[in-house]
């Protein structure tokens, strides 16, 4: 019999990010749970940067699921914690393989047709996003920090690492565009059969927090809002996020 404390917690990042971008959040969450906490990259990012990113959420999800199935921690079930594009992978996973998913926690996600395109990716940022795709690695990471954090100056200390990681495992423009295309096509699946928690940030400059409101209403699930954080909630307030997630996962 699999004990609740033995079910791993899998962290999935979002568009153009890799597992190292969880930063201090991952070890902080691990201190608040007895469950093993693991993370993997999807095709085209991080350790898999040489692979071609698929153009569908289901194929991106499968690139992560295949890695989990080979992991020693996997015992047939998993708690999914995912942000943005990663949350789409988690929602698809729960819909396609419900017996594997013990719970899902989705951070600053969105889905069509519940939210219009200009809320799912705020139109005011289109020029800056396009500029980031073609910028040098150092400039790109500075733009991404500006877009995803509500306290960019406070977190400037992370920039050297982000810039180094982009040099070590560069995200290609083609892979970034494929991930954007996959996200744009994602359609909301049926409500998950497992316990579900949505979290959003009122200071999100990239994705409107109304997207999480619409998704929570559609699925009729719990929704927590952070009062000031940006899109990268794990960066802006790792302690708040880890506390909320640990409390939720422990009761599942």
């Amino acid at each position: 019999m699999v004990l609740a404390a033995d079910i791993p917690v899998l962290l999935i990042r979002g568009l153009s990010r890799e597992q190292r971008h969880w930063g201090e959040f991952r070890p902080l969450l691990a201190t608040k749970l007895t469950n093993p906490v693991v993370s993997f990259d999807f095709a085209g990012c991080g350790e898999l940067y040489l692979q071609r990113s698929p153009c569908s959420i289901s194929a991106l999800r499968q690139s992560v699921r295949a890695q989990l199935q080979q992991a020693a921690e996997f015992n047939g079930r998993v708690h999914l914690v995912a942000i943005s594009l990663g949350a789409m992978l988690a929602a698809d996973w729960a819909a396609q393989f419900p017996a594997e998913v013990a719970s899902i926690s989705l951070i600053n996600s969105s889905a069509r047709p519940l939210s219009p395109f200009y809320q799912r990716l705020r139109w005011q940022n289109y020029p800056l996003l396009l500029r980031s795709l073609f910028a040098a690695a150092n400039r790109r990471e500075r733009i991404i920090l500006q877009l995803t954090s509500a306290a960019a100056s406070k977190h400037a200390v992370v920039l050297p690492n982000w810039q180094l990681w982009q040099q070590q495992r560069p995200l290609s423009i083609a892979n970034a565009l494929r991930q954007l295309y996959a996200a744009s096509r994602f359609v909301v699946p049926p409500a998950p059969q497992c316990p579900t928690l949505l979290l959003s940030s009122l200071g999100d400059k990239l994705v409107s927090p109304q997207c999480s409101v619409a998704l929570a209403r559609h699925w009729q699930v719990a929704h927590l809002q952070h009062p000031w954080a940006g899109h990268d909630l794990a960066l802006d307030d790792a302690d708040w996020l880890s506390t909320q997630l640990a409390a939720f996962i422990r009761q599942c």
Side-chain angles (χ1 to χ4, degrees):
M1 183 179 69
V2 177
L3 299 177
D6 295 329
I7 300 173
V9 178
L10 172 61
L11 309 181
I12 311 174
R13 286 292 310 198
L15 176 73
S16 82
R17 302 289 83 184
E18 61 167 274
Q19 56 182 300
R20 287 184 290 186
H21 286 103
W22 285 112
E24 68 175 17
F25 166 76
R26 177 180 169 176
L28 190 57
L29 180 62
T31 65
K32 298 180 180 182
L33 289 169
T34 54
N35 310 64
V37 177
V38 299
S39 59
F40 300 105
D41 297 311
F42 48 76
C45 288
E47 294 179 352
L48 306 182
Y49 78 98
L50 292 175
Q51 295 186 16
R52 178 188 175 99
S53 283
C55 291
S56 72
I57 292 298
S58 60
L60 284 166
R61 176 262 301 153
Q62 189 56 28
S63 73
V64 179
R65 180 171 174 262
Q67 294 173 79
L68 178 66
Q69 290 175 322
Q70 299 300 315
E73 295 89 349
F74 186 54
N75 48 38
R77 301 189 74 208
V78 63
H79 295 283
L80 298 175
V81 173
I83 184 168
S84 195
L85 172 68
M88 298 177 187
L89 276 64
D92 180 75
W93 195 330
Q96 298 300 320
F97 302 96
E100 293 180 1
V101 181
S103 74
I104 61 172
S105 303
L106 310 183
I107 306 161
N108 290 325
S109 189
S110 64
R112 66 183 179 98
L114 302 180
S115 302
F117 72 91
Y118 55 83
Q119 287 186 347
R120 298 180 65 206
L121 191 60
R122 286 185 158 176
W123 65 268
Q124 296 93 334
N125 292 315
Y126 291 177
L128 201 53
L129 281 169
L130 286 172
R131 198 182 312 156
S132 74
L133 287 177
F134 298 96
N138 285 3
R139 175 62 178 155
R140 178 189 301 176
E141 294 305 311
R142 191 174 297 277
I143 292 172
I144 290 174
L145 179 61
Q146 178 184 341
L147 286 171
T148 58
S149 174
S153 59
K154 173 185 173 183
H155 296 301
V157 66
V158 305
L159 265 179
N161 279 338
W162 286 16
Q163 291 163 341
L164 175 63
W165 299 340
Q166 178 59 213
Q167 292 166 3
Q168 292 173 335
R169 301 170 180 172
L171 173 76
S172 71
I173 295 172
N175 275 342
L177 291 173
R178 290 187 193 104
Q179 292 168 26
L180 272 170
Y181 180 68
S184 72
R185 297 170 60 203
F186 179 67
V187 176
V188 62
Q193 300 176 26
C194 60
T196 302
L197 175 64
L198 301 187
L199 304 104
S200 63
S201 309
L202 285 179
D204 192 339
K205 295 175 286 191
L206 198 62
V207 175
S208 171
Q210 287 304 309
C211 295
S212 290
V213 172
L215 187 55
R217 184 183 300 122
H218 180 72
W219 280 348
Q220 292 295 293
V221 298
H223 175 213
L224 299 175
Q225 283 194 323
H226 190 283
W228 59 264
H231 187 69
D232 194 345
L233 179 52
L235 172 66
D236 275 354
D237 201 339
D239 186 60
W240 182 90
L241 181 59
S242 59
T243 297
Q244 305 305 320
L245 289 172
F248 171 68
I249 291 168
R250 281 196 298 265
Q251 70 182 15
C252 291

